[in-house]
Structures are given as structure tokens and as C-alpha cells.
Amino acid sequence: QVQLAESGGGLVQAGVSLRLSCVLSGRTLSRYAISWFRRAPGKEREYVAAISRSGAMSHYVDSVKGRFTISRDNAKNTVYLQMNSLKPEDTAVYYCAADSEYVIGSTSWNDMDYWGKGTLVTVSS
């Protein structure tokens, strides 16, 4: 059974960096495209970034382009989300999700096959 576990969240000041990790267990990570989503307090869940199975392709929502970088290490069964120049509006619970059908992770939560429980990122101004 596939399980996803996020880590790396915390309380930080605006402008600093954080790196989130998403560890997949139960299967080989290379079989899955991965997406990151987030849900800010009082808001709908939104797509953040996605990466293909090999890591050759990635995609970002406009609001994080140039600040966030998604990457993966299939040997470690881990996907990363490097978040630089954090802003208060990045405050949210961040989730990773896995899908076995798409070449690159979907922008839609419901398209994914497996989801983690999330890690909280709080950015203070």
C-alpha cells in the first residue's frame, strides 16, 4: 500500500527558505508523478507544483514560479519542494500526492491516486 509522508514545515519569517520533503513508501517512487498542493486558512486547496516520474519535467503555479523548485530523488523515494523568498501568503498546509497514470503530476487533487496528510508552513511578516 502506498503511503506519503510530508515533513519540513515550520514557522518562519518572510524572506527565508524552507525545504519540504515527501517520502513515498510501499512502492517505488519512479512509478509515480508527484504534485504538491496547499490549503491556506479559510481558502480552497490549490495546486502548487508537479514533477514527472523521471524528474525531467516540472510545472508551477504562477504565484510560486521563480521562488519554488520541485525535485525528486527516486533512489531515496523522496520528492522535495524548495521554497525560497517565502511570503505570508504562502502560509498553508502543504500536501504531496502521487499518480501512476500521468506523465507529470496533475494540477487536480482528485486526479491523484494517493495523498499525504500534510505539513504546516507558517510565514510571519
Side-chain angles (χ1 to χ4, degrees), residues 61-82:
V61 68
D62 285 348
S63 60
V64 308
K65 280 181 182 177
R67 298 189 299 122
F68 290 13
T69 303
I70 189 171
S71 62
R72 64 193 292 157
D73 184 338
N74 285 343
K76 295 183 178 180
N77 263 27
T78 303
V79 175
Y80 304 99
L81 185 67
Q82 177 68 43

Side-chain angles (χ1 to χ4, degrees), residues 24-62:
L24 185 147
S25 60
R27 290 285 192 277
T28 302
L29 178 64
S30 59
R31 296 177 59 176
Y32 298 94
I34 301 293
S35 295
W36 283 94
F37 299 85
R38 66 185 179 185
R39 174 171 278 173
K43 295 188 177 181
E44 296 290 319
R45 186 187 304 113
E46 68 168 343
Y47 160 80
V48 176
I51 192 165
S52 61
R53 296 174 196 173
S54 69
M57 295 185 291
S58 59
H59 179 268
Y60 302 89
V61 68
D62 285 348

Side-chain angles (χ1 to χ4, degrees), residues 60-124:
Y60 302 89
V61 68
D62 285 348
S63 60
V64 308
K65 280 181 182 177
R67 298 189 299 122
F68 290 13
T69 303
I70 189 171
S71 62
R72 64 193 292 157
D73 184 338
N74 285 343
K76 295 183 178 180
N77 263 27
T78 303
V79 175
Y80 304 99
L81 185 67
Q82 177 68 43
M83 307 186 296
N84 298 331
S85 302
L86 282 163
K87 303 176 180 180
E89 52 263 44
D90 294 319
T91 294
V93 177
Y94 284 73
Y95 304 87
C96 61
D99 180 80
S100 62
E101 292 187 24
Y102 292 90
V103 173
I104 187 171
S106 175
T107 60
S108 174
W109 177 266
N110 292 330
D111 285 343
M112 308 305 283
D113 296 330
Y114 304 99
W115 304 266
K117 295 182 179 180
T119 185
L120 175 62
V121 173
T122 304
V123 184
S124 63

